Amino acid sequence: VKPLSDKLLNVPKRKHKERKADAARRILLDSLSVSLAVWVGMMPIVAKYFNVITPSMIPANLLAIPVLFVLVTLGAVLVFTGSFTQLSLITGGIAFLIKNVTTFFVNTMRMLAHVPFSSIEVPSPGIVFVLAYYFVLAGIILLFHQTSKKVQSHSN
């Protein structure tokens, strides 16, 4: 069953042999779908505890996820190369790379934070609102799931 966010963004299924452009589009849409789903799911909790709604989280995650993957991978390589004194030159290069990637990432996130409407201050919603939000969200998901089941059974 396809997630609702994938349906809304029309994320194509992965094909065995797909062109690089199609794969890149699918990966971008899939990442956007996950980011959107997380944002919609976390929005009331973030609003409750931090009094802010952050639409900029969606594009920020498109950058954050691959950059953090690179940083974690480089960190693991740094730990490995740092274990050998013979590799100190490589270790220094990796540390320099980590520092620059981190600086780029932090500066980019700061820039995104200053984009108009990247965050919107809101009053803290009450627990009744938060529960109602999740209840309505669950209802929408179930409705779409039931509708897609009916459409699939009629097309077979």
Side-chain angles (χ1 to χ4, degrees), residues 91-108:
T91 302
I94 293 169
F96 177 78
L97 189 57
I98 290 172
K99 177 184 177 283
N100 287 315
V101 170
T102 303
T103 300
F104 161 78
F105 178 66
V106 168
N107 289 339
T108 304

Side-chain angles (χ1 to χ4, degrees), residues 103-117:
T103 300
F104 161 78
F105 178 66
V106 168
N107 289 339
T108 304
M109 291 299 117
R110 281 188 183 139
M111 257 182 13
L112 271 173
H114 289 91
V115 170
F117 304 107

Side-chain angles (χ1 to χ4, degrees), residues 57-109:
M57 185 194 117
I58 297 167
N61 278 344
L62 291 178
L63 176 67
I65 293 168
V67 168
L68 293 175
F69 173 78
V70 167
L71 286 173
V72 168
T73 303
L74 286 172
V77 173
L78 180 74
V79 169
F80 176 76
T81 60
S83 303
F84 302 98
T85 55
Q86 303 88 338
L87 300 176
S88 62
L89 191 60
I90 293 171
T91 302
I94 293 169
F96 177 78
L97 189 57
I98 290 172
K99 177 184 177 283
N100 287 315
V101 170
T102 303
T103 300
F104 161 78
F105 178 66
V106 168
N107 289 339
T108 304
M109 291 299 117

